[in-house]
Amino acid sequence: MDMNSPITRLGGVGAKRAENYKKLGITTIGELLEHFPKSYIDFSMPVSIAEAPINDHAVIKALIIQKMPAARIRQGLVLYKIIAEDGCGDRLTLIYYNNQYVYNEIELGREYIFCGKVSGNFIRKEMNTPQFVAADAPCLQKPVYRLTEGITANMIRANIKTALENIDSSAFIDPVPNFIRQNYSLAAYEYSMRNIHFPSDAQAAALSKKRLAFDELLFLQLGMLMMKYRSRTEAGYPMTPNRDQLNKFALSLPFTLTNAQITAIKEITGDMCRGYPMNRLIQGDVGSGKTAVAAAAAYFAYVNHCQTALMAPTEILANQHFKTLNELLSPLGVRVCCLTGSIPAAKRKLLNKQIADGEFDIITGTHALISETTEFKSLGLVIMDEQHRFGVNQRAKLAEKGNNPHRLVMSATPIPRTLAMIIYGDLDISVLNELPKGRQVTETYAVTAKMRERAFGFVKKLIDEGRQAYIVCPMIEDGGNELAAAENYAARLSENDFKGYTIGLLHGKMSAAEKDDAMARFKDGTVQLLVATTVVEVGVDVPNAAVILIENAERFGLSQLHQLRGRVGRGKYKSYCILIAGTVNDDIRKRLKIMTETTDGFKISEYDLELRGAGDFFGERQHGLPETKILDALSDREVISAAQSAAKDIYDESPDLEKFPLLKCAVEKLFMSGTAEAL
Ligand code: ADP
Ligand code: MG
C-alpha cells in the first residue's frame, strides 16, 4: 500500500464510504493521511473530581463503580447513567443519551479518563456525553477531524489508524531537502505524518504539526516566489520616465499629495520603466488615498500611449472609480469609461468596440473587464482594487487581456506584515503609512443595546448639523431573510427614531442599478441616513458622512470594523463611530475596546490576527490562496518566518526549483488543488 492506493484498499472502506470520503476530497491513502486533525482532545492532564470547575470543561480520571440500568425517559429518549469514582473517593455521574454503544463499551471496574463539560453542584457532579479513553491507553491525545455526512469521528480515526499500520515506510518521501530540514530543526517527515494523527504525547503532536505547517507555508511561499521569478522573465512594456507630466498631474489635483503617496508613485513609475512587468501592491490604511496613486499610475500609462484597466469587486466601486478618475484626469485629456455587467447589451457592444479601437484610455469596471468580449487596443497597465476579493486567477485573467501589462494591486485592508509577505509574496509592496493632512481621528464608542436610543439621538444631532450618517443594520442568522431584515429595520427607523428624515437602503440583494441609485442619492446628499448591510464595507467614499453606527458589532472581525469605520472621517468633519454590541462578554469587550483605542489599521490587523488566527482573519478564503490543510498554520508567527526564510534560501539556490524536483512537485500540487477558481 502506498500514498496513491485508493482508500478502498483499507478494510471496512467500501464503495459507499469511499463516496462519502470524496466529499472531503479524499480518494487515496495519501489524501486520507493528509487530512490532518483540526485539533486534539488532550487526556494527558486529568484533575480530581473535586478540582473540576462546574460549568466548564474538565478532564477527569475515574474508575467505573456502577452502571445504572438504561432508563426510558420518553418515546425515543433513553438515558444511560454511569457512576465513576476517583482516587479521593469523590463521585462523578456520566450521562449518555441513546448511546447504548458507548454504554456497553465502558466496562465496570475499569479506569478511564473523561473529557467534557461538568455540571451539577458541589455535592453531585455530572458530565454529559463526555469523550473518553482508557486510562492505560498508549496515546492520550485524541485527534479531532473535519467530518462530513456518513463519515463519523470514530470511522475516520479507525481508517487512518489502519492506513498508518499498513503503509510502508518507503511511502513517506520527504519533499523538503535535507539542508533545510537540518537548518530549521524540523522533525522527520514520516514521524510527523504519523504523529500528527496519533501522537505519542503532546510534544510529539506539537513537533509534527509544526513540521507540516512549515511545509505548507514553505510550498506556498515558494509558489509565490516562482510566480514572481517567472514574471521577471517576461518582456513587458518599458515606459519612458517623464517627470514633467507627473508634476503636471500633481499640480492638477485639488489637494497636495502626501509624502507616502509621492513615494508610492515614484516606486510605481520606476517599475513601469523597467523591461519586465511591474507586480506591485499598494498597502494603505483606509482613507490613505490609494485612488490618487492609481490615478497617477494610469496617467503615466496614458502619457506612454497605453490603456489602463481598473477592476473593482463591485459595481458601486467601479462607478465610483470612474467618477473619481474622470474628474481628476479628463481635464488632462484622458478619456475614461466604465464597463459593468449591468450595461445594456447594445451599449456594451458599442463600448467594447470603442475600447478595442483605443477610444478610451482608462477603463474602470467589474468582472465584465475579463469577459470574453472585452478586448483592448494597447493595455499597458492593469489595476485591481480591493484585491483580496479577487483570486490569483482573476488577476492573471485581466493581465492576459494585454501583452504582459504592468500590474498594480490595491489592498483594501491593512494586513500584518508577516501575512502580507505570504499572501502577496509574488508582489513588491508600497506602503501608504500616512493619512492626508487635516484628517481628524474618528472618535469611537463601544456601547450596549441599552444606549441605542441615546446613540440615535446623537446621530440625529449630526444630521441636523448637515452631516450624513450610515447605520449598518443588524446581522441576521444564517438562513434568515437578509432583504426583509434590512427593509424592516429601515422601515422601523423611519417610523420611529428617524421620522421625518430621508432614509436610503443599501443591501446585497438589490440589483446593481438599484445600488448605484441608492449610493448616488447618498452621495449627492438627498439621502441623510443610509441603512446598509456590509456592502458599504469597502471603498465607498462620501466625505460628508460623519457618523457610522454599527449594530451587532460583536459579530464583525476587527479589520472589518475598521473598514466600516473608514466610511467616515474622509472629509473635513469630525467623525464618529458607534459600535453597538448585541451581546457582551469579556472577549467582546476586549475586542471592541481595541477599536475605541486605536485607528491605526496596521495595528488593528495585528490584533485581529492574534485574536482570531489567520483563517478567520480573511473570512472565507478571500485571500485567493490555496487552502491550507493545517488550519492554523498561518497563525504561528515563528513557523511563518522560518518558512519564509527557508523559501528564500531555496529560491537563492534554485529560483525555478529545477534542483529540487520533489519540492517543485509539492508546490505545483498545492497551487493546482482546486483553489483560486472559486474565488
Ligand atoms: P482609500 O485609500 O481608502 O481608497 P481614497 O483613495 O478613496 O482612499 O481617498 C480618500 C479620500 O481622500 C478621497 O476623498 C480623496 O479625494 C482624498 N484624498 C486623497 N489623497 C489626498 C491628499 N493627499 N490630501 C487630501 N485628500 C486626499
Ligand atoms: Mg479605496
Side-chain angles (χ1 to χ4, degrees):
M1 192 188 291
D2 65 23
M3 294 294 179
N4 292 322
S5 312
I7 43 167
T8 43
R9 283 280 300 278
L10 293 170
V13 180
K16 180 125 185 284
R17 194 180 294 183
E19 207 43 51
N20 287 330
Y21 265 124
K22 230 185 218 159
K23 285 184 267 175
L24 290 169
I26 298 170
T27 57
T28 62
I29 299 291
E31 284 159 354
L32 179 67
L33 294 181
E34 284 187 0
H35 190 71
F36 299 131
K38 56 178 189 182
S39 60
Y40 301 88
I41 305 172
D42 183 357
F43 292 92
S44 68
M45 283 189 280
V47 299
S48 68
I49 293 171
E51 279 171 316
I54 288 175
N55 288 329
D56 211 342
H57 279 267
V59 177
I60 295 174
K61 183 151 117 180
L63 185 80
I64 306 302
I65 57 168
Q66 193 183 0
K67 288 171 78 173
M68 317 281 273
R72 174 187 290 263
I73 297 186
R74 57 176 158 79
Q75 182 79 30
L77 187 65
V78 183
L79 172 71
Y80 298 94
K81 264 191 189 182
I82 300 171
I83 315 290
E85 191 179 274
D86 69 4
C88 311
D90 289 314
R91 289 189 178 183
L92 177 72
T93 307
L94 309 162
I95 295 172
Y96 292 94
Y97 295 99
N98 290 351
N99 200 335
Q100 189 176 11
Y101 177 80
V102 163
Y103 180 76
N104 290 341
E105 193 183 336
I106 296 178
E107 291 172 33
L108 197 63
R110 219 177 144 186
E111 204 175 21
Y112 295 90
I113 306 173
F114 296 93
C115 173
K117 196 173 165 186
V118 179
S119 57
N121 51 45
F122 286 100
I123 303 163
R124 228 196 66 220
K125 284 185 181 171
E126 292 179 355
M127 244 188 203
N128 210 324
T129 54
Q131 296 265 351
F132 63 93
V133 291
D136 55 3
C139 171
L140 296 180
Q141 312 287 321
K142 205 168 179 176
V144 179
Y145 295 97
R146 199 159 52 83
L147 302 174
T148 187
E149 217 186 312
I151 302 290
T152 67
N154 285 331
M155 238 179 234
I156 202 164
R157 277 189 204 122
N159 291 150
I160 290 179
K161 198 149 185 270
T162 318
L164 287 173
E165 280 160 8
N166 290 294
I167 196 160
D168 207 70
S169 266
S170 63
F172 295 95
I173 303 166
D174 194 336
V176 174
N178 242 323
F179 78 98
I180 293 290
R181 206 161 59 231
Q182 274 161 13
N183 289 354
Y184 293 88
S185 319
L186 302 174
Y189 182 64
E190 180 178 355
Y191 171 90
S192 306
M193 286 293 286
R194 290 184 182 278
N195 277 277
I196 193 142
H197 295 290
F198 299 105
S200 43
D201 53 41
Q203 201 199 356
L207 281 176
S208 308
K209 200 166 138 186
K210 194 170 156 189
R211 157 71 212 256
L212 295 169
F214 176 96
D215 284 11
E216 278 209 320
L217 292 170
L218 177 72
F219 304 158
L220 200 57
Q221 189 79 75
L222 280 172
M224 301 301 242
L225 287 175
M226 263 168 85
M227 279 197 262
K228 191 169 182 171
Y229 174 77
R230 281 193 194 139
S231 78
R232 295 209 162 167
T233 62
E234 291 167 356
Y237 272 86
M239 299 189 175
T240 321
N242 194 328
R243 187 177 278 240
D244 291 346
Q245 289 288 359
L246 281 174
N247 281 337
K248 186 171 151 194
F249 165 79
L251 289 172
S252 76
L253 293 173
F255 44 72
T256 318
L257 290 168
T258 63
N259 287 326
Q261 283 171 319
I262 292 171
T263 308
I265 292 170
K266 276 191 189 147
E267 286 168 341
I268 289 163
T269 51
D271 285 359
M272 289 167 75
C273 293
R274 290 187 308 208
Y276 55 85
M278 162 171 75
N279 261 310
R280 187 170 285 276
L281 167 77
I282 312 178
Q283 260 253 76
D285 206 342
V286 189
S288 58
K290 292 183 285 284
T291 319
V293 174
Y299 182 66
F300 190 67
Y302 159 79
V303 171
N304 280 280
H305 315 289
C306 283
Q307 286 175 305
T308 295
L310 192 164
M311 184 152 118
T314 65
E315 298 221 349
I316 295 179
L317 284 179
N319 280 315
Q320 182 178 292
H321 283 316
F322 164 69
K323 283 176 198 137
T324 310
L325 294 180
N326 197 38
E327 262 162 42
L328 294 179
L329 297 177
S330 65
L332 300 175
V334 183
R335 298 158 300 175
V336 189
C337 71
C338 186
L339 186 71
T340 63
S342 64
I343 291 174
K347 182 154 179 233
R348 182 156 163 188
K349 210 168 154 197
L350 176 66
L351 256 182
N352 270 330
K353 183 171 179 313
Q354 291 172 309
I355 295 167
D357 289 346
E359 288 174 32
F360 288 105
D361 307 302
I362 299 180
I363 302 91
T364 69
T366 53
H367 291 80
L369 290 175
I370 50 175
S371 83
E372 302 249 308
T373 52
T374 311
E375 275 172 45
F376 297 86
K377 178 149 189 258
S378 55
L379 186 62
L381 170 66
V382 299
I383 306 177
M384 302 281 228
D385 190 18
E386 326 293 2
Q387 189 271 343
H388 69 292
R389 301 247 164 151
F390 296 114
V392 174
N393 281 2
Q394 285 173 323
R395 253 200 251 164
K397 265 202 190 126
L398 182 56
E400 276 162 21
K401 293 283 179 186
N403 195 5
N404 296 332
H406 295 292
R407 280 161 257 183
L408 185 63
V409 172
M410 302 196 283
S411 128
T413 323
I415 57 172
R417 219 187 128 62
T418 41
L419 280 190
M421 283 174 64
I422 292 196
I423 290 166
Y424 301 115
D426 57 333
L427 307 175
D428 298 308
I429 301 182
S430 296
V431 177
L432 295 185
N433 52 3
E434 183 189 356
L435 293 182
K437 279 209 187 61
R439 283 286 161 77
Q440 301 183 54
V441 168
T442 298
E443 239 168 77
T444 304
Y445 301 96
V447 300
T448 59
K450 274 193 228 137
M451 301 278 279
R452 187 179 285 113
E453 293 281 310
R454 270 184 70 184
F456 282 166
F458 181 71
V459 171
K460 269 192 284 203
K461 189 178 136 260
L462 286 170
I463 296 179
D464 292 339
E465 286 170 12
R467 301 289 77 73
Q468 287 164 284
Y470 295 98
I471 294 188
V472 176
C473 59
M475 296 234 263
I476 43 159
E477 302 295 338
D478 282 354
N481 185 341
E482 180 195 327
L483 181 92
E487 279 175 349
N488 287 341
Y489 182 78
R492 270 205 312 282
L493 290 185
S494 70
E495 281 158 23
N496 302 307
D497 298 274
F498 290 89
K499 206 168 180 157
Y501 293 85
T502 40
I503 300 184
L505 184 62
L506 185 71
H507 57 71
K509 295 279 151 64
M510 286 161 63
S511 74
E514 287 168 332
K515 278 188 216 157
D516 273 347
D517 188 53
M519 265 329 289
R521 281 158 41 84
F522 191 57
K523 272 201 155 178
D524 70 18
T526 320
V527 164
Q528 296 170 297
L529 170 63
L530 187 65
V531 173
T533 57
T534 52
V535 285
V536 290
E537 175 194 340
V538 276
V540 173
D541 185 38
V542 180
N544 188 45
V547 58
I548 182 164
L549 182 149
I550 303 168
E551 296 269 13
N552 286 132
E554 78 280 8
R555 298 221 223 144
F556 293 93
L558 290 184
S559 294
Q560 210 183 354
L561 287 175
H562 180 65
Q563 201 38 253
L564 285 167
R565 174 167 64 184
R567 294 318 102 219
V568 299
R570 299 175 80 85
K572 53 182 184 278
Y573 305 106
K574 175 81 192 161
S575 298
Y576 304 87
C577 169
I578 305 169
L579 307 171
I580 299 193
T583 52
V584 187
N585 59 34
D586 282 353
D587 269 1
I588 291 170
R589 217 171 273 130
K590 190 171 150 205
R591 284 205 301 130
L592 296 185
K593 188 151 173 274
I594 292 168
M595 292 303 297
T596 65
E597 285 170 352
T598 179
T599 51
D600 179 336
F602 287 93
K603 243 191 220 160
I604 287 172
S605 72
E606 292 281 350
Y607 281 121
D608 214 8
L609 177 61
E610 216 164 274
L611 292 173
R612 301 200 304 161
D616 265 7
F617 184 83
F618 289 100
E620 306 218 313
R621 291 171 58 201
Q622 284 190 341
H623 45 62
L625 289 179
E627 190 174 16
T628 51
K629 293 209 175 74
I630 306 271
L631 291 174
D632 49 359
L634 287 168
S635 48
D636 188 332
R637 285 165 199 234
E638 231 172 274
V639 178
I640 289 179
S641 38
Q644 256 159 10
S645 129
K648 184 103 205 344
D649 297 348
I650 292 167
Y651 180 80
D652 289 345
E653 182 79 26
S654 173
D656 49 9
L657 297 186
E658 290 307 332
K659 281 197 197 163
F660 308 106
L662 284 173
L663 253 185
K664 189 170 181 206
C665 191
V667 171
E668 274 162 5
K669 198 173 120 201
L670 181 67
F671 276 78
M672 303 269 285
S673 59
T675 53
E677 209 55 67
L679 294 152

